[in-house]
Amino acid sequence: MQQTRRALIGALAIALLTMAGAAPSPAAADDLKEVRIGFQRAGIFPATKQRHTVEDAFKSRGIDVKWVEFAFGPPLLEALNTGNIDYGYTGDAPPVFAQAARANLLYVAALPSAGKNEAIVVPENSPIKTVADLKGKRVGFAKASSSHNTTVAALEKAGLSYSDITPVYLAPADAAVAFAGGNLDAWTIWDPYLALVEKGKVRVIVSAKDVHEANAFFLANRDFTAKHPDVVAKLNQIFADESVWATSHHAEIVKALHESTGLETEALTRAVDRTQFLVTPVTDKVTATQQTVADRFHKLGLVPKPVDVKEIVWTWTPGS
């Protein structure tokens, strides 16, 4: 567990340093010279960067590509809102909180998930056997992240209320330390952190797939999308094509992740092998599922007003 903790902290520290150093100015409206992509060091992103797929696609237009790394979704969406990035990837909960805060962004593509890459874990010797046993317990997760949504959905399914637990809001690296030190009774976390911690003496009590339909999203700054819809559509298509490639190239994905994060290959292989690589338009079904997420957080009072997801859905036709 000590080794796992160091790996998690190291990977996230590098991500935070990278993010801290990136504060580019918004793109010019009439002469686009650079597109800035917010990403997390997971999934296809390290491999796509290594393959220069995006760079090659925009080279003929004289558009450079800048990759800006984030530890998780909420700070990425803040950068998207302020125009410090143009396009980025997050899980399901961050856009809900961002929309409630009137963030200047749009859903531009969806990444439906099989729900196997996120789970609630407890120490192996914990008396907690089911989600119902979390009553009165300290549960750690990143606030306004997909793990927040998975936690709430799991509680709902088990017949518990949010007030039945003590939520402990922690970024992944801090949560890893707290969990390893016995300061959390349970931890809701996603891959590759989940795959790493599974190597220790832990038990999964529920996975995301058991409690809700999970989606992730590509989002874009609203103003950028209005000025450069062709660029946003092209980015969607590039990542859709990269996802098709990734489905049959797991070894390459693992290698790129290992080189990018320094994390061990065994855990990364487990994470990649249970990932569904798929990029689609934001369909009516996806919108309805995301509306459920928005309604869930509003009902709990965690977002201050109702959110109508469809108001910020942008239509993309694959192949465009």
Side-chain angles (χ1 to χ4, degrees):
M1 180 66 74
Q2 183 69 22
Q3 199 171 28
T4 295
R5 185 173 68 208
R6 286 199 301 267
L8 286 167
I9 294 170
L12 193 55
I14 292 171
L16 290 172
L17 285 171
T18 302
M19 183 184 81
S25 59
D30 57 352
D31 187 18
L32 184 64
K33 296 298 184 184
E34 181 180 73
V35 59
R36 298 153 304 166
I37 302 172
F39 76 105
Q40 301 173 51
R41 246 192 293 185
I44 65 173
F45 296 102
T48 300
K49 281 186 65 187
Q50 285 186 4
R51 282 159 52 80
H52 293 277
T53 313
V54 184
E55 288 83 350
D56 291 346
F58 286 105
K59 187 175 181 179
S60 64
R61 295 178 57 175
I63 299 174
D64 293 330
V65 177
K66 184 176 183 65
W67 297 85
V68 185
E69 187 175 333
F70 295 84
F72 57 115
L76 185 154
L77 290 190
E78 177 57 27
L80 198 67
N81 173 50
T82 56
N84 286 320
I85 61 173
D86 307 307
Y87 182 94
Y89 159 86
T90 76
D92 51 11
V96 168
F97 284 80
Q99 185 179 1
R102 299 182 181 274
N104 189 33
L105 51 81
L106 297 168
Y107 293 95
V108 297
L111 295 85
S113 169
K116 299 176 182 178
N117 293 87
E118 188 165 275
I120 303 177
V121 298
V122 298
E124 187 177 55
N125 60 358
S126 170
I128 298 170
K129 305 297 182 186
T130 68
V131 175
D133 297 329
L134 292 176
K135 188 171 184 177
K137 304 300 184 183
R138 296 161 300 176
V139 183
F141 48 87
K143 186 177 183 180
S145 72
S146 63
S147 61
H148 197 166
N149 184 40
T150 292
T151 303
V152 175
L155 294 173
E156 284 180 357
K157 189 163 185 178
L160 297 182
S161 67
Y162 195 58
S163 61
D164 283 327
I165 66 165
T166 300
V168 183
Y169 300 138
L170 293 169
D174 295 327
V177 173
F179 184 73
N183 296 314
L184 295 175
D185 299 301
W187 181 23
T188 312
I189 190 58
W190 57 82
D191 278 332
Y193 308 102
L194 174 60
L196 284 164
V197 79
E198 282 178 314
K199 290 202 58 160
K201 295 182 177 180
V202 302
R203 283 185 290 107
V204 171
I205 61 169
V206 69
S207 294
K209 65 180 176 59
D210 301 317
V211 295
H212 71 116
E213 289 186 68
N215 295 296
F217 295 93
F218 284 120
L219 296 104
N221 176 275
R222 183 190 290 269
D223 295 338
F224 181 87
T225 305
K227 294 168 187 171
H228 308 291
D230 58 323
V231 173
V232 173
K234 191 172 187 68
L235 286 167
N236 284 348
Q237 191 62 53
I238 292 166
F239 283 110
D241 293 343
E242 285 293 280
S243 295
V244 172
W245 172 85
T247 299
S248 57
H249 291 82
H250 284 198
E252 289 92 330
I253 299 295
V254 170
K255 182 175 182 291
L257 283 166
H258 172 68
E259 292 173 357
S260 174
T261 65
L263 301 179
E264 57 192 58
T265 300
E266 181 184 345
L268 292 172
T269 299
R270 181 162 55 251
V272 169
D273 284 349
R274 62 190 175 194
T275 298
Q276 175 175 283
F277 295 102
L278 180 64
V279 177
T280 74
V282 184
T283 63
D284 290 344
K285 181 178 185 297
V286 170
T287 301
T289 299
Q290 187 68 352
Q291 187 63 52
T292 298
V293 178
D295 294 344
R296 175 178 291 135
F297 282 112
H298 177 250
K299 181 180 178 181
L300 292 174
L302 295 173
V303 295
K305 61 180 182 179
V307 167
D308 187 354
V309 170
K310 68 179 181 293
E311 289 183 351
I312 63 166
V313 170
W314 186 73
T315 300
W316 164 56
T317 303
S320 61

